[in-house]
Amino acid sequence: MKDQNKQPEKHKLIEYANGPSLEEINGTVEVPKGKGFWRTLFAYSGPAALVAVGYMDPGNWSTSITGGQNFQYLLMSVILISSLIAMLLQNMAAKLGIVTQMDLAQAIRARTSKALGIILWIMTEFAIMATDIAEVIGAAIALYLLFNIPLVIAVFITVFDVLILLLLTKIGFRKIEAIVVCLILVILFVFVYQVALSDPDWGGVIKGLVPTAGTIASHPTVGGMTPLSGALGIIGATVMPHNLYLHSAISQTRKIDHNNEEEIHQAVRFSNWDTNIQLSIAFVVNSLLLIMGVAVFKSGVVKDPSFFGLYQALSNTSMLSNSVLIAVAKSGVLSALFAIALLASGQNSTITGTLTGQVIMEGFVHMRMPLWARRLITRLISVIPVLLCVAMTSGMNKIDQHTALNDLMNNSQVFLAFALPFSMLPLLMMTDSTAEMGNRFKNVVWVKVCGWVSVVGLTVLNMIALPDSFAGFLGDHASAADVNMAHIASYVAIVAVLALLAWCAVDIYRGDKKLAQLHAKNGEVRATPDYEGGAE
């Protein structure tokens, strides 16, 4: 194994990295010892807020609101189930980081070959960029709506959010957590306010939380959406791979003694509390979005589900459901608050996307670059398809322009379907392992069963959605032959994903066996972190 104490040359843009995850902030937040529950919980609270941001980013908005418009409260149960699965997976990710002192990317790389590590790195980078496209579109549209800044200029302005990131890196990680929580509260306030004015049918909301056969039915088709496609859209926008990598890294920001099993147990316990609380807030936000689609607008009136269309609908009194909303909408408050929440969501995701990019680069390929450079490169790549879309639709009418941007955002999420299994499966295998986690911290039976059901179920659902996702790139006027070719290409992609997934699973299984043999030889239960590792 290479020297973990090797000091990088600071003057290089790209440095060698093979040490603790996000080394600059790893173990920097003090936690109290022997204090009460609430004080200790407060000290451990924060990392999951950065994760929760990904569950309420701009990519979730139109899917949930349109689902409510088309099927009333039917898809509430999908949001609930997705949130519970997210809690399960995020708790595993945080536990992996705390117990093994490796983030998910480092842990996968330590148990797999270098070639597979590079493939997984590239795949995850594409997934992060796909998420970034949604953030670029959301932030640019928010700037356009709030300040009437032309879209092209607004897109370029989003590149300069790197300056915000530079400022935040100077103030300490705990303050970053606080800023993210404040932005989440802004988003929560906006939607609580709008839904409260709409006076929804709370009985229907509660009834919708119970899944039925109709939740995943392939009929009826409303506005080009079926309950099944709506459910797949919500699931795809909810559980995202980059959150698992991020959580396994930032869960290590708390300073604990890793030679003391009780301190590790306390860290895992309070990390679970943090995760469940923050993702419960994310569940509330996503539920409010769906309820907005049902209760704020008249049924079926939102023909343009893009951010432009939703903004305009919130100021169009003929589209709103009751007199209270109409009175408030006349002042422009409803639409302005929506745009403010959209901007807050995009800025929140700026922070988490950059940190995740650094985590996977260091973990998979042992490279590090300054956060500002990392963010600048990723954002510049992500704005290219957005600028092309704006340029190519400049001669169209506004509705077609808006639809094209919305389609770009939705279609970019196809990369998440590719990357998700390669974060979920290794995470589950390693947290199931005694060699990795020890007897005390490996998954208990019910977590293991629920984990495998979730991983297999999400993977199957994502693969089912791929043919339509591929066809979505062709637009609304594609020929039957083109759609057929897109479907064939998707089936080839599915086979490739399954083969790569099998390679990953075999490598991790072999790596786990070698680790168990090493422990048996040395008389250990768990080894110290091996960031390099790698299968033969």
Side-chain angles (χ1 to χ4, degrees):
M1 190 174 121
K2 296 184 180 180
D3 182 8
Q4 292 180 16
N5 296 318
K6 178 179 177 180
Q7 295 297 316
E9 297 178 36
K10 297 296 183 183
H11 66 277
K12 290 185 176 180
L13 181 63
I14 298 178
E15 305 164 349
Y16 174 79
N18 188 28
S21 182
L22 296 176
E23 194 163 2
E24 298 83 356
I25 58 176
N26 193 292
T28 58
V29 179
E30 297 283 349
V31 290
K33 293 179 173 61
K35 301 298 180 181
F37 174 85
W38 293 109
R39 185 172 174 182
T40 307
L41 177 60
F42 178 76
Y44 278 98
S45 296
L50 275 72
V51 170
V53 166
Y55 292 94
M56 58 181 87
D57 73 346
N60 295 59
W61 291 29
S62 64
T63 305
S64 295
I65 292 175
T66 307
Q69 269 281 291
N70 292 342
F71 304 111
Q72 300 294 295
Y73 300 110
L74 180 66
L75 301 182
M76 282 290 297
S77 60
V78 179
I79 295 177
L80 175 61
I81 293 169
S82 297
S83 299
L84 293 174
I85 292 172
M87 289 180 190
L88 182 73
L89 294 173
Q90 295 297 161
N91 280 326
M92 287 184 195
K95 180 173 69 171
L96 178 75
I98 293 168
V99 175
T100 67
Q101 301 175 67
M102 292 188 289
D103 61 57
L104 180 59
Q106 289 173 328
I108 294 173
R109 176 66 188 90
R111 302 289 169 256
T112 58
S113 63
K114 182 177 180 179
L116 182 57
I118 292 173
I119 293 172
L120 295 182
W121 171 57
I122 293 171
M123 185 179 296
T124 312
E125 287 283 10
F126 275 118
I128 292 175
M129 289 177 191
T131 304
D132 212 30
I133 287 173
E135 293 154 16
V136 169
I137 292 174
I141 291 176
L143 291 171
Y144 169 79
L145 296 174
L146 287 170
F147 307 111
N148 202 28
I149 298 172
L151 268 179
V152 172
I153 297 175
V155 169
F156 277 111
I157 289 175
T158 67
V159 174
F160 293 100
D161 64 13
V162 68
L163 299 176
I164 299 174
L165 187 68
L166 276 175
L167 175 63
L168 292 177
T169 56
K170 304 296 183 185
I171 66 175
F173 191 71
R174 193 68 171 143
K175 292 185 178 67
I176 292 176
E177 292 174 344
I179 291 170
V180 168
V181 169
C182 288
L183 290 172
I184 289 174
L185 291 176
V186 168
I187 298 168
L188 180 64
F189 165 76
V190 169
F191 294 129
V192 166
Y193 175 70
Q194 295 191 349
V195 167
L197 291 178
S198 70
D199 190 25
D201 174 16
W202 292 110
V205 172
I206 294 171
K207 184 179 178 181
L209 292 172
V210 180
T212 64
T215 306
I216 55 172
S218 56
H219 60 82
T221 300
V222 182
M225 176 187 286
T226 65
L228 177 61
S229 65
L232 290 174
I234 290 172
I235 291 169
T238 302
V239 184
M240 293 183 286
H242 69 277
N243 274 328
L244 302 178
Y245 293 101
L246 177 65
H247 207 177
S248 63
I250 59 177
S251 64
Q252 301 177 56
T253 54
R254 273 43 184 179
K255 187 176 181 181
I256 63 173
D257 179 4
H258 283 276
N259 293 317
N260 185 328
E261 196 171 271
E262 289 307 316
E263 284 197 29
I264 297 174
H265 174 71
Q266 175 177 274
V268 171
R269 177 190 173 208
F270 282 100
S271 175
N272 287 346
W273 273 100
D274 181 34
T275 300
N276 295 337
I277 291 170
Q278 302 291 353
L279 291 188
S280 293
I281 294 174
F283 162 70
V284 170
V285 169
N286 285 322
S287 298
L288 290 172
L289 285 165
L290 187 140
I291 294 169
M292 272 187 68
V294 181
V296 172
F297 308 108
K298 293 178 181 177
S299 179
V301 299
V302 180
K303 303 301 181 185
D304 180 0
S306 71
F307 297 135
F308 297 99
L310 294 171
Y311 177 87
Q312 290 163 3
L314 286 168
S315 57
N316 186 339
T317 55
S318 67
M319 300 177 74
L320 299 176
S321 64
N322 65 47
S323 58
V324 176
L325 283 167
I326 290 170
V328 177
K330 289 178 180 178
S331 68
V333 169
L334 292 182
S335 54
L337 286 175
F338 178 84
I340 290 169
L342 185 59
L343 187 60
S345 177
Q347 292 312 302
N348 252 346
S349 300
T350 289
I351 301 168
T352 58
T354 306
L355 291 174
T356 307
Q358 196 65 42
V359 167
I360 65 166
M361 180 180 283
E362 291 184 18
F364 281 129
V365 292
H366 303 314
M367 292 194 307
R368 176 192 295 133
M369 63 172 56
L371 286 179
W372 66 265
R374 164 80 209 185
R375 184 58 183 175
L376 195 59
I377 292 170
T378 305
R379 180 50 63 93
L380 285 172
I381 294 172
S382 298
V383 302
I384 291 172
V386 181
L387 289 172
L388 287 174
C389 182
V390 172
M392 292 171 65
T393 58
S394 59
M396 299 181 181
N397 60 56
K398 286 189 175 181
I399 292 180
D400 287 341
Q401 281 184 313
H402 300 168
T403 302
L405 275 174
N406 203 55
D407 288 345
L408 172 62
M409 182 177 67
N410 292 333
N411 291 336
S412 68
Q413 306 302 296
V414 69
F415 294 106
L416 302 181
F418 284 116
L420 186 59
F422 297 97
S423 56
M424 294 191 302
L425 180 65
L427 174 65
L428 183 56
M429 290 181 69
M430 286 186 283
T431 51
D432 280 348
S433 167
T434 302
E436 295 285 358
M437 308 296 292
N439 288 312
R440 183 170 186 179
F441 299 108
K442 70 177 182 179
N443 294 332
V444 296
V445 173
W446 75 265
V447 171
K448 184 182 296 188
V449 171
C450 291
W452 279 107
V453 170
S454 300
V455 168
V456 173
L458 284 176
T459 301
V460 170
L461 287 174
N462 273 284
M463 294 302 104
I464 289 174
L466 271 184
D468 289 339
S469 297
F470 271 54
F473 283 103
L474 302 175
D476 297 329
H477 306 294
S479 67
D482 288 339
V483 170
N484 188 49
M485 286 298 296
H487 285 176
I488 292 172
S490 72
Y491 299 140
V492 172
I494 289 171
V495 171
V497 166
L498 294 177
L500 196 59
L501 201 58
W503 179 11
C504 184
V506 169
D507 265 13
I508 290 174
Y509 177 78
R510 289 175 176 172
D512 185 67
K513 289 298 182 184
K514 290 179 181 178
L515 184 62
Q517 291 169 3
L518 179 64
H519 291 178
K521 181 179 178 181
N522 297 334
E524 298 171 333
V525 177
R526 244 184 335 110
T528 53
D530 178 4
Y531 305 109
E532 181 91 11
E536 294 296 331

